[in-house]
Amino acid sequence: MKRLILKFLLLAALIAARPAGGLAQSNAAGTQGKAVFLILGDSVMKTISVSLERDLAQSAEFRPVSFASIGSGLCRLDLLNWHEKIKALAETEKPEAAVMLIGSNDNQPMQTEKGVLANGSDEWQAEYARRVGKCMDILIAAGVKNIIWVSLPDMREADKQEHVQIVNRIFAQEAASRPGVAILDTQSIFSREPGKFTMYVLGPDGRPLYVRAQDGVHFNREGANRLAGRIIKKLDEVRKK
């Protein structure tokens, strides 16, 4: 009787162990041969990265790798040096494509080695452009073939909206001078009238579709899903060029 019980327990242990080992091998095998799609940004990108990871889970071509840092930006590189972070991730993951959405926290003075630059001043804009361009150049130098830079959406508060217009212009200018970098314009996607903040857009059925969070900055889940779909569509477009 004791032998029978021992045999039963041993058999149960072997059965329980097999699915776990098989699943791990299956997951590992499932990522082999897939190119890395690097997803970068601040808290605005955080919600979108969840949607992107879900949508790309079944992709036969890409494996998503995400890094989103809440409260970060290009003004305070002393808190998080995005240039170093991008370089490290690019060297480790060797992505074929990348997407970046950043800037919502950069509506502030900028700390530099030469001192603090007033928010929005000519000097601020020149240095911000240099930092944006450096992010792009690091990815290009790492061999990233397709880079999608997502512009900021319209914001509800007037000072934040002014900031959006400034940095989006910088994003477009820096991307235009670099092959392989494409801008994805969110203002045309998430505002019924680009340049004016709205909480909702019109859905396929003509009814209001709420896409923004209550803070007037971030996207809600519906908005994140919508933008994730546009990012994947944009990736397909730029890869065909």
Side-chain angles (χ1 to χ4, degrees):
M1 185 67 177
K2 290 182 179 180
R3 289 181 180 180
L4 182 61
I5 293 173
L6 286 173
K7 286 182 180 180
F8 176 79
L9 290 175
L10 179 60
L11 180 61
L14 289 172
I15 293 173
R18 283 177 183 174
L23 181 61
Q25 291 172 4
S26 175
N27 286 343
T31 62
Q32 290 180 3
K34 292 186 179 182
V36 169
F37 184 38
L38 189 58
I39 303 166
L40 303 164
D42 56 20
S43 59
V44 178
M45 178 55 97
K46 181 65 177 177
T47 309
I48 301 158
S49 69
V50 174
S51 298
L52 279 171
E53 290 172 0
R54 179 206 61 203
D55 291 349
L56 291 171
Q58 305 303 319
S59 172
E61 297 182 83
F62 285 102
R63 173 172 64 88
V65 174
S66 302
F67 179 81
S69 176
I70 297 173
S72 69
L74 298 180
C75 283
R76 294 295 305 274
L77 296 179
D78 57 313
L79 297 179
L80 173 62
N81 191 319
W82 267 102
H83 297 143
E84 292 181 358
K85 189 63 181 180
I86 293 171
K87 188 174 186 295
L89 286 168
E91 290 176 350
T92 302
E93 301 295 341
K94 296 177 173 53
E96 180 178 305
V99 60
M100 187 159 190
L101 196 170
I102 201 167
S104 63
N105 299 308
D106 287 332
N107 186 24
Q108 60 175 300
M110 190 184 308
Q111 294 187 4
T112 70
E113 294 179 355
K114 297 180 180 180
V116 179
L117 305 180
N119 185 23
S121 65
D122 291 343
E123 295 80 7
W124 186 98
Q125 293 186 43
E127 175 61 16
Y128 197 79
R130 187 192 71 80
R131 296 184 182 193
V132 169
K134 187 173 181 179
C135 290
M136 297 175 180
D137 289 340
I138 291 170
L139 290 169
I140 292 171
V144 182
K145 297 178 181 178
N146 300 115
I147 302 165
I148 300 170
W149 196 283
V150 183
S151 67
L152 291 180
D154 290 314
M155 304 286 182
R156 181 167 52 206
E157 297 178 14
D159 65 320
K160 292 180 180 178
Q161 178 63 12
E162 183 179 358
H163 169 71
V164 164
Q165 304 291 37
I166 291 173
V167 297
N168 280 355
R169 183 170 62 251
I170 291 173
F171 297 153
Q173 290 172 348
E174 294 303 308
S177 64
R178 291 169 172 85
V181 182
I183 289 290
L184 178 58
D185 176 20
T186 58
Q187 290 178 297
S188 62
I189 300 172
F190 291 100
S191 295
R192 299 193 304 279
E193 182 181 346
K196 291 186 178 181
F197 173 84
T198 52
M199 287 290 292
Y200 67 89
V201 296
L202 296 180
D205 58 358
R207 297 180 180 180
L209 181 68
Y210 285 86
V211 291
R212 303 297 294 274
Q214 291 298 322
D215 62 4
V217 175
H218 296 80
F219 296 102
N220 63 12
R221 176 51 54 200
E222 188 65 45
N225 292 342
R226 188 181 182 91
L227 184 50
R230 294 299 184 96
I231 290 171
I232 293 173
K233 181 180 179 181
K234 186 73 171 181
L235 178 60
D236 289 338
E237 291 174 358
V238 297
R239 292 178 69 210
K240 292 176 182 177
K241 292 185 178 179

